[in-house]
Amino acid sequence: MRIDIVTIFPEYLDPLRGALLGRAIERGLLSLDVHDLRRWTYDVHKGVDDSPYGGGPGMVMKPQVWGEALDEVCAGEPPRLVVPTPAGRPFTQAMAHEYAGESRLVFACGRYEGIDQRVIDDASTRMRVDEVSIGDYVLVGGEVAVMVMVEAVARLLPGVLGNPLSAEQDSFSDGLLEGPSYTRPEVWRDRAVPDVLRSGNHKAIDRWRRDQAIERTFERRPDLLAALPAESLDKHDRAL
Ligand SMILES: CN1CCC[C@H](Cn2ccc3ccc(-c4n[nH]c(N)c4C#N)cc32)C1
């Protein structure tokens, strides 16, 4: 997978080259190129923003600069263009899996009050464009959102995670939150690990873990439980 990111703060994305993702890049499992939007500016001040038509607070990012940048970065095999915005569709684990199946992703990091809408409209005539939000809160720009999405997608690529089972047992992968985890010591500050986890009875352990996941999902994310297909909860699950 080839990932390109366009931003006015390229150094913001440096942490993506560390640890797990850094090793995946070194192993050729994905390529990551970060581009400074100011490369496509055309005035002495390297301006990327201007006042909003219709008035209002803040500044809007200029369509000319973004248009030139995306023409060049998106050249070749048409990528999927992902534009983070608080007004976007919610980014979900299902979308992460969808993106992991793409051969090219380009992420456009806005700042200020966002990117002139015509940039998205123009790009949509040549490639698939998603305006996506990572949550119901307002950030200062798109870079943090892109780091979240790149990590969520990259970890799903074959070979990136040491143990592929980890991704299969993710929260949300079966529509439920994952339950609690424990490791040594057996007792810590007078709190013991649940007996079933030390029983060696793997059928009982699997049942206990599913019960914990359902109870936690019911308590914290009843919306996820309501969205589950009826057939995915058995009689025992419903009796909880
Ligand atoms: C007051 N204004 C309101 C509009 C957005 C302005 C800041 N900004 C500029 C570009 C940009 C990109 C993403 C996000 C963002 N915020 N929250 C999320 N879940 C996001 C995501 N994905 C925020 C952004 C601030």
Side-chain angles (χ1 to χ4, degrees):
M1 172 184 282
R2 173 183 166 185
I3 296 176
D4 289 275
I5 302 172
V6 184
T7 170
I8 58 171
F9 295 118
E11 70 284 354
Y12 217 110
L13 286 302
D14 286 350
L16 285 177
R17 298 187 186 283
L20 187 81
L21 289 196
R23 285 196 298 277
I25 293 167
E26 285 163 15
R27 291 163 55 206
L29 298 175
L30 74 150
S31 71
L32 175 64
D33 289 292
V34 180
H35 310 272
D36 185 342
L37 178 69
R38 294 192 194 275
R39 213 177 99 198
W40 289 276
T41 54
Y42 44 83
D43 66 315
V44 67
H45 301 296
K46 295 188 177 292
V48 295
D49 63 300
D50 202 342
S51 306
Y53 272 112
M59 303 291 272
V60 176
M61 300 190 91
K62 300 159 74 81
Q64 307 95 316
V65 180
W66 270 107
E68 296 293 320
L70 293 179
D71 285 352
E72 184 171 332
V73 171
C74 297
E77 179 194 357
R80 189 147 182 187
L81 176 62
V82 182
V83 184
T85 167
R89 283 190 308 126
F91 179 68
T92 63
Q93 187 70 8
M95 287 173 76
H97 277 285
E98 197 180 315
Y99 287 175
E102 298 284 347
S103 53
R104 280 199 70 191
L105 294 174
V106 173
F107 291 90
C109 299
R111 280 272 161 166
Y112 305 100
E113 290 310 303
I115 301 170
D116 186 300
Q117 187 62 39
R118 291 169 293 181
V119 173
I120 286 95
D121 299 344
D122 170 65
S124 299
T125 64
R126 296 186 298 281
M127 68 197 85
R128 185 160 176 184
V129 182
D130 295 336
E131 293 183 81
V132 177
S133 169
I134 63 163
D136 293 340
Y137 38 78
V138 182
L139 302 171
V140 178
E143 286 78 7
V144 166
V146 167
M147 291 178 72
V148 165
M149 290 190 273
V150 167
E151 179 165 310
V153 171
R155 68 185 290 276
L156 298 175
L157 298 176
V160 172
L161 283 184
N163 178 358
L165 272 179
S166 298
E168 287 170 25
Q169 293 168 5
D170 279 341
S171 269
F172 312 105
S173 61
D174 57 1
L176 297 172
L177 300 182
E178 58 199 70
S181 298
Y182 301 86
T183 186
R184 284 183 286 267
E186 197 175 306
V187 179
W188 177 73
R189 293 188 182 179
D190 297 329
R191 296 175 188 275
V193 172
D195 290 339
V196 66
L197 296 181
R198 296 183 300 109
S199 67
N201 177 342
H202 290 286
K203 189 172 177 208
I205 291 168
D206 290 345
R207 181 74 262 175
W208 181 85
R209 282 175 167 162
R210 182 166 173 82
D211 291 354
Q212 291 292 309
I214 291 169
E215 287 172 18
R216 180 175 278 189
T217 308
F218 179 77
E219 287 160 15
R220 300 179 184 179
R221 290 294 305 273
D223 57 303
L224 293 179
L225 219 48
L228 278 179
E231 62 274 13
S232 59
L233 292 177
D234 64 27
K235 196 165 55 173
H236 172 92
D237 297 335
R238 296 177 186 287
L240 288 173

